[in-house]
Amino acid sequence: MAKNGNDAEIDEGLYSRQLYVLGHAAMKRMQNSNVLISGMRGLGVEIAKNVILGGVKTVTVHDQGVAEWRDLSSQFYLREEDIGKNRAEASQSRLAELNSYVPVTAYTGNLTNDYLTQFQVVVLTTCSLEEQMRIGEFCHSNNIKLIVADTRGLFGQLFCDFGEEMIVLDTNGEQPLSAMISMITKDSAGVVTCLDEARHGFESGDHVTFTEVQGMTELNNHAPIEIKSLGPYTFSICDTSSFSDYVRGGIVTQVKMPKKFPFKSLTSSLTDPEFLLTDFAKFDRPGQLHLGFQALHAFEKKHGRQPKPWNQADADELVTLAEEVNTAQTGSAKQEQLDQAVIKKLSCVAAGDLAPVNAFIGGLAAQEVMKACTGKFMPINQWLYFDALECLPETEEAALTEEECAPRNCRYDGQIAIFGSKLQELLAKQRYFLVGAGAIGCELLKNFAMMGLASGGGEVIVTDMDTIEKSNLNRQFLFRPWDVSKMKSDTAAAAVKQMNPSVRVTSHQNRVGPDTEKVYDDEFFDTLDGVANALDNVDARMYMDRRCVYYRKPLLESGTLGTKGNVQVVIPFLTESYSSSQDPPEKSIPICTLKNFPNAIEHTLQWARDEFEGLFKQPAENAQQYLSDPKFMERTLKLPGAQPLEVLEAVYKSLVTDKPRSWEDCVAWARNHWQCQYNNNIRQLLHNFPPEQLTSSGAPFWSGPKRCPHALEFSTDNDLHMDYVLAAANLYAKTYGLEGSTDRVALAKLLQQIKVPEFTPRSGVKIHVSDQELQSAHASVDDSRLEELKTILPSPEKTSQFKLCAIEFEKDDDTNFHMDFIVAASNLRAENYDIPPADKHKSKLIAGKIIPAIATTTAAVVGLVCLELLKIVQGHKKVESYKNGFMNLALPFFAFSEPIAAPKHKYYEIDWTLWDRFEVKGIQPNGEEMTLRQFLDYFKNEHKLEITMLSQGVSMLYSFFMPAAKLKERLELPMTEIVTKVSKKKLGKHVKALVFELCCNDDTEEDVEVPYVRYTIR
């Protein structure tokens, strides 16, 4: 058993993506926490799974009940053969496999006060209200943090009490903001003005510290100062009237200050509750459910059972009990009026047990456990209620009966209790395409298995071309350490078949995209009932969205980023599609900032990534192409501007001047490259722009975002210098297929013997100060050098046995020198410019563009996705029945909204949306295919539209301004022939239809927007 606790190092390989959410300090605190989770039904096991993956010290699962049929509708670690066994004991070994660092024990005794003292956090999921109150009082007075979580059918409840002394160290988990200063006044409340490049983003009440201020140096080592925001670029600080005069410069950085949040005990919070809203459209719901859940406890105490599914007598009695609870209230919990309809629905579904609701509440509850252990993020204050009543049938005629929802002694009883057996049969027949088997994919498959999707006649097809890596195991919970390097889709499919053997899952290893359209063709899509995306990039999402719009299939779309998550549902003819709205593009770093004027570690890391590509990938690729592709030369010479010269110079360097023959040559190359980048180039820059240089307006050149650099002097005693040469030389050796070395002592000896050429900065070297200047400067091309290169480059035939290997950047392998090079290259440049360096962990996040991720968010998001799936399968027709959701578990914040309806367009009197199209049969009754002339006439006669431009993909097939000769020839050609001619690609046998885009004029010569054309050819 791997050890946990104080002396344990954090396994960065396993916890990598979660560390980017929580940070090392919070992870360390988590590793000292013992957690008890009581109740191992569906909700309890979901919380336990997420907490174990998270990496606490120990987890104890407690239950005194035995497994029943209805538990199997959401308890994914119970099997049919476990019925009659204790739930905690049956689940223990499967939970323990999730994380070898977390010992998991099962306990089946009573929760005595003595027993509870060994835990830092206690979670109750199936306790009676009396038991909750007894344990709640004990925990509150002994500083044990308590979470109560409960789900009843479509309803969920969550309560937190983290004691009267709870300290929150970081309320939102966002990176601290920083800004550059242009002015600070001397005043009783000094006013700081920031450079107007970007808004400072601070709020009143934030605390900040100052560095690098010149003149008013008293601020530089000052304790954190509370600020008051005065505008987007200004804020006031403490009394600065006695400080020295401000001269220039300075950086202001936000500091996270610990905040104390006292909690009330369960008993006092029951009568005076604080609610966290999950849905602003249901702002009065929490107060009602607060009474409803208490009434349920009263009902169970009185009858020893839950209200029967859809039983009217039980529903009426629950209303009466809720009225009694309300009458007895003295505090703010008292409601003016009881919402009888909601309380009746609560009674009707309370016996149900739904995997998606457990996933949602279980994800939230596990995040609260982590908050309790770490003080990272804002806890829920103190009650949260949730319901998904929109999942019930939309019409009164489809109302459910008691008989239809009675238990059948089958594994779906918990779901049948809510929706009846007809929906269960529908679910079993569904055919779904799941794209991706990563974190979201694993969670979706688990919920599909519990819900019985494709468990009788249907099928889930899951595709993912990735293999399992160690860092996946922290949240892709269907995978185990022994699965590393196997295919994700195969492993996930096998794992869910263990959970529910009757679910039919087929795994593929294809990437979705134009290349696999012969696999995922018309026939494939025609048989589908819907698609669920579990992707990690926008391009693939947009592609699947386009396919779903074309084939008119519902799409379930979701994503996470750290503690943030979102869910979007796309319904044919009802909602807009995923591509209808887009995120703003990411801000890119200006080239001149990267090349000469970095001021943040992000700049030096991007520079180091560009170095990596420009040294170990691009040149080797170009040289290899020159050697193996006869058309390379012809293509290169057609490139614009100075590019042909640059590419061929690089090929010449790779094959002639810089070609190493031994490890020693590689070391010499790396040492000389170090000299160039960290000494010579910096000296040249300072020669052009000396430290005291003034701009044309008389201001210092090196000020504001321009940091004045200094050259570095190489030393074999400096570890960072040695790291750089070692990594660069090894990578260079690898591109030429030479043996590398990791012997630092031998390397130091080698370096002593290398002669580095003297460098003197030259006059007349142009350095661009801004990107505008860079764009307006046209490099003159030296044609004579280009001709010379063509003759002196070695002929590909002579060097044919010689192979270069381009290196693809891979961030997660610690033995390949990739991250070692990036960290050293970036931190050396940071040292040039006095930017604080970044360690390997932080560098990997930025340079590797890693998306931070944590199991809790994924579980909660996918719970919401599967609630939408239930609506789709039932065929809900109203847009207001569906819910797009956004959450940030750190704040905690939730927002649900109905999807935006598909926007309507119009030509003549015809309304259309993105779901509509013109259907044109390409093959005419006589068996001949339509020509372009006939196609144009068809639109004129049938739709009164004159086509002015016609395209297919990126190919322009027709335009009104085409040369007459070309047009004459084209008009008589069949449409498919024009397509193959223009695109220079043959149409595959699987292509049954083509998509044409039109620009049209109506009969008044006005330009009108029209749908696309689906042109059927087979």
Side-chain angles (χ1 to χ4, degrees):
M1 174 67 65
K3 67 173 181 287
N4 217 331
N6 262 337
D7 48 354
E9 273 304 295
I10 296 171
D11 183 342
E12 286 192 0
L14 174 66
Y15 291 121
S16 152
R17 306 307 189 256
Q18 180 178 305
L19 277 165
Y20 294 124
V21 182
L22 298 176
H24 282 77
M27 275 294 298
K28 278 266 197 286
R29 289 192 290 276
M30 233 159 67
Q31 290 182 342
N32 292 319
S33 304
N34 302 302
V35 180
L36 168 73
I37 299 167
S38 169
M40 273 299 111
R41 298 191 63 213
L43 176 59
V45 79
E46 180 67 53
I47 299 169
K49 172 207 49 144
N50 295 331
V51 169
I52 293 164
L53 289 171
V56 292
K57 187 176 185 181
T58 67
V59 168
T60 303
V61 294
H62 166 257
D63 203 322
Q64 293 182 308
V66 296
E68 311 165 38
W69 277 111
R70 64 179 185 145
D71 294 331
L72 296 184
S73 62
S74 70
Q75 217 286 24
F76 47 87
Y77 284 150
L78 291 177
R79 310 279 179 263
E80 296 190 9
E81 57 270 23
D82 294 327
I83 286 177
K85 295 181 191 164
N86 176 283
R87 285 184 291 241
E89 290 176 340
S91 316
Q92 181 272 332
S93 65
R94 292 176 188 126
L95 284 167
E97 278 182 3
L98 286 166
N99 189 341
S100 61
Y101 291 103
V102 182
V104 180
T105 40
Y107 174 67
T108 58
N110 292 328
L111 297 179
T112 61
N113 291 354
D114 268 1
Y115 183 75
L116 292 172
T117 50
Q118 59 186 305
F119 300 103
Q120 280 72 47
V121 186
V122 170
V123 185
L124 306 177
T125 68
T126 50
C127 290
S128 68
L129 189 57
E130 281 76 12
E131 183 82 336
Q132 287 175 18
M133 286 160 84
R134 173 186 74 78
I135 293 171
E137 284 310 306
F138 178 78
C139 288
H140 191 81
S141 47
N142 287 275
N143 207 18
I144 299 168
K145 300 182 169 74
L146 172 78
I147 295 165
V148 177
D150 197 358
T151 57
R152 306 295 175 106
L154 292 164
F155 294 87
Q157 175 193 52
L158 199 50
F159 167 79
C160 298
D161 168 16
F162 296 167
E164 284 163 28
E165 298 292 317
M166 178 66 188
I167 305 284
V168 177
L169 302 168
D170 176 357
T171 55
N172 61 11
E174 300 296 329
Q175 283 292 324
L177 301 164
S178 69
M180 289 178 206
I181 297 164
S182 64
M183 183 61 205
I184 306 173
T185 64
K186 285 173 75 166
D187 219 325
S188 57
V191 174
V192 180
T193 307
C194 300
L195 287 177
D196 56 8
E197 292 208 321
R199 296 159 178 267
H200 57 64
F202 302 137
E203 292 173 11
S204 295
D206 282 353
H207 287 71
V208 298
T209 54
F210 291 85
T211 49
E212 301 184 20
V213 175
Q214 294 174 40
M216 201 181 277
T217 50
E218 294 89 343
L219 282 173
N220 284 336
N221 295 311
H222 202 287
I225 303 165
E226 188 174 336
I227 67 157
K228 189 172 167 206
S229 177
L230 302 174
Y233 308 104
T234 52
F235 57 88
S236 63
I237 50 171
C238 56
D239 184 346
T240 54
S241 51
S242 60
F243 292 177
S244 319
D245 286 351
Y246 174 78
V247 177
R248 68 157 175 259
I251 293 172
V252 56
T253 307
Q254 188 184 31
V255 181
K256 307 255 175 164
M257 302 296 282
K259 290 183 183 166
K260 188 171 154 183
F261 288 96
F263 283 74
K264 292 189 285 202
S265 71
L266 177 64
T267 316
S268 59
S269 188
L270 263 173
T271 52
D272 271 319
E274 295 263 350
F275 298 121
L276 173 73
L277 263 183
T278 52
D279 189 341
F280 296 104
K282 305 176 180 177
F283 67 95
D284 52 351
R285 196 70 54 89
Q288 299 287 335
L289 294 179
H290 192 64
L291 301 173
F293 270 79
Q294 288 178 65
L296 275 178
H297 284 291
F299 187 100
E300 281 160 29
K301 191 176 173 185
K302 184 173 164 187
H303 295 285
R305 64 171 175 84
Q306 292 177 322
K308 289 189 194 127
W310 298 94
N311 176 296
Q312 290 312 312
D314 283 1
D316 293 338
E317 186 177 349
L318 193 70
V319 169
T320 311
L321 288 168
E323 296 279 15
E324 287 168 18
V325 173
N326 195 25
T327 312
Q329 292 303 321
T330 52
S332 62
K334 195 178 184 88
Q335 297 291 309
E336 279 181 28
Q337 201 179 355
L338 202 64
D339 185 338
Q340 295 199 359
V342 166
I343 303 294
K344 281 185 177 171
K345 289 219 169 105
L346 176 61
S347 172
C348 290
V349 302
D353 184 32
L354 208 51
V357 175
N358 287 333
F360 178 68
I361 298 292
L364 270 56
Q367 189 69 59
E368 295 307 305
V369 172
M370 294 181 189
K371 293 175 187 179
C373 301
T374 62
K376 179 101 177 177
F377 310 139
M378 270 300 281
I380 287 175
N381 178 27
Q382 287 184 255
W383 294 93
L384 173 144
Y385 286 96
F386 170 77
D387 74 82
L389 288 176
E390 301 77 21
C391 291
L392 291 173
E394 285 182 316
T395 55
E396 289 302 312
E397 302 84 78
L400 294 149
T401 63
E402 192 177 344
E403 185 182 27
E404 222 180 308
C405 301
R408 308 275 196 281
N409 282 350
C410 78
R411 63 172 307 137
Y412 309 114
D413 275 358
Q415 193 163 272
I416 289 171
I418 305 169
F419 297 110
S421 51
K422 283 202 186 77
L423 177 60
Q424 207 50 56
E425 289 160 23
L426 263 178
L427 281 163
K429 296 193 181 106
Q430 295 292 303
R431 270 181 68 85
Y432 258 76
F433 186 28
L434 171 57
V435 191
I440 288 177
C442 282
E443 291 286 339
L444 278 166
L445 282 170
K446 172 255 289 178
N447 286 350
F448 289 172
M450 292 298 96
M451 294 158 72
L453 188 80
S455 60
E459 185 180 15
V460 172
I461 300 101
V462 56
T463 187
D464 195 313
M465 70 281 172
D466 255 358
T467 53
I468 296 161
E469 294 171 19
K470 184 180 176 184
S471 67
N472 300 153
L473 303 176
N474 170 240
R475 64 200 179 285
Q476 303 178 15
F477 83 107
L478 298 177
F479 309 143
R480 300 289 165 267
W482 49 88
D483 295 323
V484 167
S485 81
K486 292 183 192 164
M487 295 306 300
K488 283 186 178 179
S489 54
D490 294 345
T491 312
V496 287
K497 281 179 191 155
Q498 295 278 306
M499 290 178 177
N500 181 354
S502 58
V503 166
R504 185 165 159 221
V505 182
T506 309
S507 52
H508 294 178
Q509 286 83 42
N510 302 318
R511 182 194 294 274
V512 292
D515 303 347
T516 51
E517 284 179 10
K518 49 181 174 294
V519 182
Y520 305 124
D521 55 9
D522 295 14
E523 273 165 41
F524 174 81
F525 270 94
D526 287 344
T527 62
L528 291 180
D529 291 295
V531 176
N533 272 352
L535 290 158
D536 61 357
N537 68 86
V538 172
D539 291 342
R541 284 185 168 101
M542 304 267 273
Y543 173 78
M544 282 315 298
D545 179 61
R546 288 197 298 273
R547 298 296 276 170
C548 288
V549 170
Y550 177 71
Y551 291 109
R552 296 166 167 174
K553 298 294 174 189
L555 171 67
L556 293 160
E557 167 54 56
S558 56
T560 70
L561 187 142
T563 55
K564 303 182 185 89
N566 70 288
V567 178
Q568 183 180 350
V569 52
V570 177
I571 308 290
F573 301 106
L574 201 58
T575 71
E576 65 170 20
S577 80
Y578 172 77
S579 314
S580 303
S581 51
Q582 281 182 19
D583 292 337
E586 283 183 30
K587 280 210 275 276
S588 60
I589 306 165
I591 296 166
C592 289
T593 302
L594 286 176
K595 274 182 117 158
N596 300 313
F597 309 115
N599 60 53
I601 200 72
E602 285 77 5
H603 302 160
T604 64
L605 278 163
Q606 183 59 53
W607 179 88
R609 274 290 278 117
D610 294 345
E611 273 280 275
F612 186 97
E613 301 286 310
L615 295 172
F616 311 121
K617 185 179 174 212
Q618 224 51 60
E621 265 179 7
N622 285 340
Q624 195 50 46
Q625 279 189 333
Y626 168 76
L627 295 175
S628 59
D629 181 353
K631 290 217 170 125
F632 173 74
M633 204 64 176
E634 182 189 327
R635 272 206 317 274
T636 305
L637 293 171
K638 281 185 186 155
L639 292 171
Q643 284 182 31
L645 188 59
E646 283 166 17
V647 171
L648 293 181
E649 282 285 12
V651 171
Y652 186 66
K653 272 171 96 172
S654 299
L655 295 178
V656 185
T657 44
D658 287 0
K659 180 180 164 188
R661 282 168 179 72
S662 61
W663 166 244
E664 289 75 11
D665 286 355
C666 296
V667 174
W669 171 85
R671 171 67 186 87
N672 279 308
H673 194 72
W674 188 100
Q675 193 68 20
C676 246
Q677 297 296 36
Y678 303 112
N679 181 293
N680 304 357
N681 290 355
I682 299 294
R683 281 164 54 202
Q684 180 68 53
L685 181 63
L686 290 170
H687 175 79
N688 280 36
F689 305 110
E692 300 311 315
Q693 171 112 358
L694 300 177
T695 65
S696 53
S697 61
F701 177 84
W702 293 106
S703 65
K706 290 191 176 69
R707 301 174 70 86
C708 186
H710 62 275
L712 305 181
E713 294 301 331
F714 188 84
S715 162
T716 50
D717 299 331
N718 185 316
D719 282 344
L720 190 56
H721 298 188
M722 292 294 285
D723 288 347
Y724 179 90
V725 173
L726 188 71
N730 271 290
L731 288 165
Y732 202 63
K734 187 165 193 266
T735 55
Y736 286 93
L738 298 169
E739 266 307 298
S741 158
T742 51
D743 184 340
R744 289 177 88 100
V745 181
L747 179 68
K749 281 206 185 103
L750 268 177
L751 285 163
Q752 306 292 346
Q753 299 153 20
I754 293 170
K755 294 268 181 290
V756 177
E758 268 301 304
F759 172 79
T760 315
R762 305 193 317 277
S763 295
V765 174
K766 179 75 183 132
I767 294 177
H768 298 295
V769 179
S770 72
D771 282 18
Q772 287 90 334
E773 195 181 298
L774 176 71
Q775 277 159 356
S776 56
H778 292 298
S780 57
V781 182
D782 182 353
D783 283 338
S784 58
R785 175 63 181 159
L786 198 56
E787 290 309 313
E788 184 188 359
L789 277 171
K790 281 201 247 174
T791 54
I792 60 174
L793 270 168
S795 75
E797 294 73 48
K798 286 190 190 138
T799 35
S800 58
Q801 75 295 344
F802 178 64
K803 266 187 112 69
L804 276 112
C805 155
I807 299 179
E808 289 289 341
F809 179 63
E810 167 47 62
K811 59 191 174 291
D812 281 320
D813 175 354
D814 285 339
T815 61
N816 64 9
F817 294 106
H818 297 197
M819 275 315 300
D820 298 336
F821 175 81
I822 298 284
V823 173
S826 165
N827 284 344
L828 284 166
R829 188 161 173 85
E831 195 183 325
N832 277 143
Y833 286 88
D834 295 304
I835 296 166
D839 62 7
K840 190 168 184 174
H841 180 69
K842 183 178 178 183
S843 300
K844 193 163 151 177
L845 171 72
I846 299 166
K849 296 190 164 63
I850 288 175
I851 305 289
I854 191 164
T856 46
T857 317
T858 314
V861 160
V862 171
L864 295 177
V865 172
C866 291
L867 289 172
E868 298 308 304
L869 172 67
L870 286 166
K871 300 170 188 176
I872 292 174
V873 174
Q874 291 175 80
H876 280 19
K877 300 274 188 294
K878 298 177 186 156
V879 77
E880 58 271 23
S881 299
Y882 294 95
K883 293 267 182 188
N884 286 344
F886 172 79
M887 64 177 95
N888 184 346
L889 300 187
L891 296 178
F893 171 80
F894 303 89
F896 291 98
S897 59
E898 64 181 61
I900 296 173
K904 285 200 164 79
H905 310 276
K906 202 170 187 158
Y907 68 94
Y908 296 124
E909 290 308 302
I910 299 166
D911 284 324
W912 64 277
T913 71
L914 65 112
W915 298 99
D916 294 301
R917 59 189 175 211
F918 294 114
E919 296 281 0
V920 178
K921 287 196 170 64
I923 309 299
Q924 300 171 74
N926 65 3
E928 300 276 313
E929 195 200 333
M930 247 187 205
T931 62
L932 175 56
R933 187 189 295 278
Q934 289 167 323
F935 185 86
L936 298 177
D937 289 346
Y938 172 83
F939 271 87
K940 214 166 186 132
N941 302 332
E942 291 292 317
H943 300 289
K944 299 209 281 293
L945 292 170
E946 184 187 346
I947 297 177
T948 52
M949 276 199 282
L950 174 67
S951 61
Q952 190 258 336
V954 291
S955 311
M956 178 65 73
L957 309 181
Y958 163 79
S959 64
F960 67 90
F961 49 78
M962 251 180 180
K966 200 175 189 182
L967 179 60
K968 192 174 172 201
E969 177 201 358
R970 265 198 203 170
L971 281 172
E972 305 313 322
L973 289 178
M975 297 297 288
T976 50
E977 206 173 307
I978 301 175
V979 170
T980 44
K981 196 171 171 177
V982 177
S983 67
K984 300 189 171 62
K985 285 191 195 120
K986 279 204 172 108
L987 291 178
K989 294 234 183 336
H990 62 281
V991 179
K992 298 218 164 84
L994 295 170
V995 171
F996 295 144
E997 302 282 346
L998 312 174
C999 291
C1000 293
N1001 287 345
D1002 62 14
D1003 47 19
T1004 65
E1005 297 290 306
E1006 280 297 308
D1007 188 29
V1008 285
E1009 206 179 336
V1010 295
Y1012 68 94
V1013 176
R1014 182 167 178 264
Y1015 179 82
T1016 329
I1017 53 175
R1018 295 192 218 287

